[in-house]
Amino acid sequence: MLDTWLWPVLAIAGLAVITLITRTFFMIPERELPMPDWLRRGLKYAPLAALAAVIAPEIAMSGGALIRTLADARLPAVLLAGGYYFWRRGILGTIVVGMAVYLPLHIGLGW
């Protein structure tokens, strides 16, 4: 009985400690860590790159394979949301436009 809950608790505690250490790593030093300017500029784009890495496969793939039809609600939603972003440069509006196109096509037409 002890083994059934001990390992999951140890795993959760270990993951919590690792998360805490990695997230506070840059707050531990008393002074700012020296970084080359090119690295500082590159780190500004890390969240966007991570978001693109998560979203791109979701748009282009279905069931582990590339989509084979243009009758997929994700494609027009991405195109119109991307167009809105380049027009207005607003993240919230981009999400709203994408979902306003995606949901009727996906739920209404079954794409």
Side-chain angles (χ1 to χ4, degrees):
M1 185 169 115
L2 184 64
D3 284 345
T4 59
W5 64 269
L6 181 62
W7 288 113
V9 168
L10 286 176
I12 291 169
L15 289 170
V17 168
I18 290 170
T19 301
L20 181 69
I21 290 170
T22 57
R23 292 190 181 246
T24 60
F25 179 74
F26 292 105
M27 292 187 269
I28 293 173
E30 292 180 10
R31 59 184 169 83
E32 192 172 326
L33 295 173
M35 274 189 247
D37 194 42
W38 61 268
L39 180 60
R40 190 177 306 277
R41 282 192 320 264
L43 285 175
K44 285 183 1 183
Y45 299 103
L48 179 61
L51 185 62
V54 169
I55 291 175
E58 189 63 34
I59 293 169
M61 298 179 77
S62 178
L66 289 175
I67 56 174
R68 299 188 190 277
T69 179
L70 293 177
D72 191 319
R74 294 175 289 188
L75 298 177
V78 166
L79 290 174
L80 290 173
Y84 177 86
Y85 178 78
F86 286 113
W87 176 50
R88 301 291 292 189
R89 300 282 187 204
I91 297 295
L92 180 61
T94 302
I95 295 169
V96 169
V97 167
M99 292 309 291
V101 172
Y102 174 77
L103 288 175
L105 291 176
H106 184 68
I107 295 172
L109 296 178
W111 282 15

